[in-house]
Amino acid sequence: MISKIFQSEYLKRLDNIKQWAEIDTFKEESVSQHSYKVVIFGRILLEDIFGFNKDPKILSFKLACIDAFMFHDWDEALILRDISHETKYNQFNGSVIRSVLNDLSRHIALNEFFEPYNEDEKASSPSSDMITFNIIGQTSDVKLICKLADWISLCFYMKREMCLGNRGIYEKWIYSKNEVQHSLDAVKNMLKSRFVGYDLNFNELDNLILNIYGEAKEANND
């Protein structure tokens, strides 16, 4: 599988597909750049939450999350575009659009990344299963963590744009900082339910929310 990825167009596409194409920005950000930030923020937040705990249950969950961070936007390499959040979540037919895009991503992923295992034409290889699972089938709990890291990365980008003087992005910033709060609340509830009896620390994430809200207020005053 690694030879297939090395010789293929997927990583090139992630470099070339630009986010925020529908709005004016000072700094372009590719899907690859965004995904790297998601991995960084997500990886660190896992340590902030779980600390030094090496329980196999926690380590297994961390690995699943890290896989999800890395592959969370690979569907865009398959459908060849970054579809805007407003389009995918519009009130008229957003759910239909998401369903069609998910079906298309699933179809392409299963065909593109299938690799026979041990000369068995029906059994797929571990790397094949890992990639397809992270594109089309991750668990809902892991998706919640990944979405939080995704929103944090988006806020990071928009903060940078506002620091450069992009006032046109302010409304998206307000929307995103509210989504970070909602996402964090969902993650907290999920982790408290999944890891009953474990020591979970949300102080750093709570501090981040306060920081994001403070900067949103400051940007509005400016």
Side-chain angles (χ1 to χ4, degrees):
M1 179 61 71
I2 194 168
S3 295
K4 177 183 177 67
I5 299 300
F6 184 85
Q7 297 176 40
S8 69
E9 299 294 316
Y10 310 116
L11 289 173
K12 295 178 187 177
R13 292 173 188 166
L14 294 177
D15 281 343
N16 293 329
I17 297 173
K18 306 300 181 184
Q19 300 201 120
W20 310 100
E22 74 277 9
I23 63 175
D24 292 331
T25 59
F26 289 113
K27 291 286 186 180
E28 284 190 337
E29 184 175 60
S30 69
V31 177
S32 291
Q33 290 172 306
H34 165 71
S35 294
Y36 178 71
K37 295 182 182 75
V38 171
V39 174
I40 294 299
F41 286 125
R43 185 68 186 91
I44 293 172
L45 75 85
L46 288 173
E47 296 306 301
D48 285 340
I49 293 171
F50 292 110
F52 293 107
N53 197 315
K54 302 301 182 185
D55 186 298
K57 181 179 179 181
I58 288 178
L59 294 180
S60 177
F61 183 73
K62 282 184 177 181
L63 177 59
C65 290
I66 293 166
D67 285 347
F69 299 153
M70 291 190 295
F71 287 95
H72 84 284
D73 271 345
W74 266 57
D75 59 325
E76 296 179 7
L78 302 182
I79 64 175
L80 310 180
R81 290 292 182 273
D82 170 34
I83 309 298
S84 72
H85 183 81
E86 287 84 349
T87 298
K88 289 189 293 186
Y89 289 88
N90 81 82
Q91 293 184 356
F92 172 63
N93 67 346
S95 61
V96 175
I97 291 173
R98 294 195 302 276
S99 178
V100 170
L101 290 174
N102 289 338
D103 285 345
L104 177 59
S105 297
R106 177 183 296 273
H107 170 76
I108 298 175
L110 290 174
N111 282 277
E112 292 280 327
F113 299 118
F114 176 79
E115 179 182 66
Y117 186 54
N118 289 342
E119 299 182 356
D120 184 341
E121 293 185 358
K122 294 184 178 180
S124 55
S125 69
S127 56
S128 174
D129 282 348
M130 184 276 294
I131 293 175
T132 54
F133 178 68
N134 279 285
I135 294 175
I136 65 177
Q138 259 295 0
T139 64
S140 58
D141 287 356
V142 169
K143 286 181 179 179
L144 283 179
I145 290 274
C146 188
K147 196 61 185 176
L148 175 57
D150 192 20
W151 280 118
I152 293 172
S153 177
L154 292 172
C155 281
F156 180 85
Y157 173 80
M158 285 183 280
K159 173 191 171 185
R160 185 181 185 189
E161 281 290 302
M162 289 191 298
C163 287
L164 292 172
N166 188 346
R167 301 182 66 86
I169 207 169
Y170 180 71
E171 288 187 6
K172 289 183 178 292
W173 163 264
I174 294 299
Y175 178 83
S176 296
K177 63 98 175 175
N178 288 332
E179 288 301 314
V180 169
Q181 180 66 71
H182 297 153
S183 184
L184 175 56
D185 291 340
V187 165
K188 282 183 177 180
N189 291 333
M190 177 273 291
L191 291 177
K192 289 176 182 177
S193 175
R194 180 168 180 146
F195 295 98
V196 176
Y198 289 81
D199 184 22
L200 306 175
N201 188 337
F202 299 107
N203 290 339
E204 282 297 315
L205 282 173
D206 289 336
N207 288 337
L208 175 63
I209 293 298
L210 292 174
N211 181 266
I212 289 174
Y213 269 71
E215 287 172 345
K217 183 177 180 179
E218 181 179 332
N220 188 36
N221 291 336
D222 291 342

